[in-house]
Amino acid sequence: MLIPGAHYRLAFTQVILAFAQVFNALTHYQLDYPDLALILALVRGGSLARAAALLKVDVSTVFRAVRRLEAALGQALFEKSRAGYLPTTLARTLAEQAERAEQALEAARIGVEQGGEVISGTVRLTCTDSVLHALLLPALAQFMLAYPALTLELSTSNDFANLSRRDADIALRLTRSPPEHLVGRRLGAVSYRVCASTAYLKSVEPSDLTQLSWIAPDDFLPDHPTVIWRRQQFPGVLPSYRCNSMLSVTELVRAGLGVAALPDFLIDPAQGLRPLSEPLLGYDTSLWLLTRPDCRALRSVVTLFDELSHWVRLPDQERC
């Protein structure tokens, strides 16, 4: 009978054996875990000194071990340069496998400590930078400590290409109509208001919005609701500043450089932002939590999806 976490050790062993068999066939040298740990430390550290610190050995030990391993494999793993030790394609591939083995061992350790199976693996999550800072990070802080064997890879993007290309497993997106090939949950409505900083308002007369300095998304976001609204309501206004993200737009407004239409989850009076308008009627959108249908079979993805559904909250929403 397998003890808790034994299946993780089995997976780790299978990873090692699979690569050992490949290299044994090519070089008659059988890789073991210390070899992979050495490669991983040098890839992460980029130099003999940093690798030695990670492995808790002296520099000469790392140097001799790398030379012995390259000689045994019959090919170089690193290119020596003034910048340090640069990994070859083979070294990067082996380092990735070493990380998987490392994660499997960590999951096994946690499983033994907790007396049962744990949620483990890597989940790739994508969202915009504004959603990341204002909504996702506060949510992750609420529950991620309960999943020490779960690894997240976070990326910021403004489109759905990450999920469509299978570069991500979960996405948090602002949209009225998510792509039909994705599945998910609508987490709530998002409205926009024209805002300015209290410092900026001390130097201008806010009654005529057309006379103020405008900050707006650039051509990277041509279909953004605030761009469409401004062009329809104030066709003669040319923004004084353009940014490639709503988070950057918000930072410029907060710095007192002008006004902008911002999503309500970025409007924080405690940070000196003051609304100058009611919500822009007809230009609201929704926050969606999305994934691919095939990801619903992955326990790690389903677990993170459910936790985010519970903890990601827009302003004025109560958690059930």
Side-chain angles (χ1 to χ4, degrees), residues 5 27 35-36 51 62 75 79 111-112 116 156 161 171 199 213 218 252 267 317:
T27 68
D35 294 329
L36 293 181
V62 175
Q75 53 188 308
E79 297 177 2
V112 171
T156 54
S213 295
D218 62 15
L252 266 66
I267 303 172
Q317 288 186 326

Side-chain angles (χ1 to χ4, degrees), residues 22 34 66 70-71 89 111 114 139 148 167 171 209 243 260 267 288 308 315 320:
V22 171
V66 171
E70 290 182 329
T89 300
Q114 296 183 354
D167 292 337
L209 294 179
C243 306
I267 303 172
W288 283 85
L308 291 173
C320 299

Side-chain angles (χ1 to χ4, degrees), residues 85 152 249:
Y85 274 57
L152 292 189
V249 171

Side-chain angles (χ1 to χ4, degrees), residues 276-306:
L276 301 181
S277 73
E278 294 298 317
L280 308 182
L281 188 62
Y283 295 90
D284 57 330
T285 187
S286 296
L287 179 65
W288 283 85
L289 181 63
L290 302 164
T291 187
R292 303 190 311 273
D294 60 289
C295 285
R296 291 183 294 181
L298 302 175
R299 189 178 178 193
S300 56
V301 174
V302 171
T303 299
L304 181 60
F305 190 96
D306 290 342

Side-chain angles (χ1 to χ4, degrees), residues 72-96:
L73 295 176
Q75 53 188 308
L77 293 171
F78 296 90
E79 297 177 2
K80 292 76 173 177
S81 71
R82 292 183 178 179
Y85 274 57
L86 305 178
T88 62
T89 300
L90 174 59
R92 285 194 294 268
T93 300
L94 291 175
E96 291 174 1

Side-chain angles (χ1 to χ4, degrees), residues 33-280:
Y33 183 70
D35 294 329
L36 293 181
L38 170 68
I39 295 169
L40 181 59
L42 199 46
V43 169
R44 286 175 171 172
S47 70
L48 292 175
R50 285 191 287 269
L54 291 172
L55 294 171
K56 296 181 172 58
V57 297
D58 56 58
V59 172
S60 61
T61 299
V62 175
F63 177 73
R64 290 193 300 268
V66 171
R67 291 191 63 181
R68 282 197 300 267
L69 183 56
E70 290 182 329
L73 295 176
Q75 53 188 308
L77 293 171
F78 296 90
E79 297 177 2
K80 292 76 173 177
S81 71
R82 292 183 178 179
Y85 274 57
L86 305 178
T88 62
T89 300
L90 174 59
R92 285 194 294 268
T93 300
L94 291 175
E96 291 174 1
Q97 297 300 323
E99 284 187 327
R100 294 179 188 177
E102 185 180 65
Q103 291 168 2
L105 284 175
E106 178 65 10
R109 182 189 64 78
I110 294 170
V112 171
E113 290 178 355
Q114 296 183 354
E117 187 177 3
V118 296
I119 304 298
S120 63
T122 299
V123 179
R124 299 163 299 172
L125 195 155
T126 180
C127 62
T128 63
D129 55 0
S130 58
V131 170
L132 172 67
H133 288 272
L135 301 175
L136 178 59
L137 294 184
L140 293 178
Q142 296 295 324
F143 67 84
M144 278 303 293
L145 288 179
Y147 301 99
L150 187 62
T151 301
L152 292 189
E153 292 183 357
L154 301 175
S155 67
T156 54
S157 170
N158 291 295
D159 56 38
F160 292 97
N162 300 71
L163 280 172
S164 302
R165 295 194 308 261
R166 298 178 178 267
D167 292 337
D169 305 308
I170 295 176
L172 273 169
R173 285 285 180 258
L174 292 171
T175 181
R176 285 187 170 184
S177 54
E180 294 183 358
H181 66 280
L182 302 178
V183 296
R185 298 177 187 174
R186 180 180 178 273
L187 300 183
V190 175
S191 59
Y192 297 86
R193 301 169 188 258
V194 177
C195 294
S197 71
T198 53
Y200 179 74
L201 292 175
K202 292 178 181 179
S203 61
V204 298
E205 172 51 55
S207 59
D208 186 358
L209 294 179
T210 63
Q211 298 304 308
L212 304 180
S213 295
W214 278 82
I215 306 164
D218 62 15
D219 293 339
F220 192 68
L221 300 170
D223 300 321
H224 197 275
T226 63
V227 174
I228 297 174
W229 171 83
R230 192 195 73 252
R231 288 173 176 170
Q232 292 177 345
Q233 298 298 317
F234 306 122
V237 168
L238 295 177
S240 301
Y241 304 90
R242 297 178 184 270
C243 306
N244 64 357
S245 75
M246 286 305 296
L247 185 62
S248 298
V249 171
T250 305
E251 291 300 324
L252 266 66
V253 174
R254 190 175 293 134
L257 297 176
V259 301
L262 301 177
D264 49 16
F265 62 82
L266 289 178
I267 303 172
D268 186 356
Q271 295 185 350
L273 293 182
R274 175 182 162 187
L276 301 181
S277 73
E278 294 298 317
L280 308 182

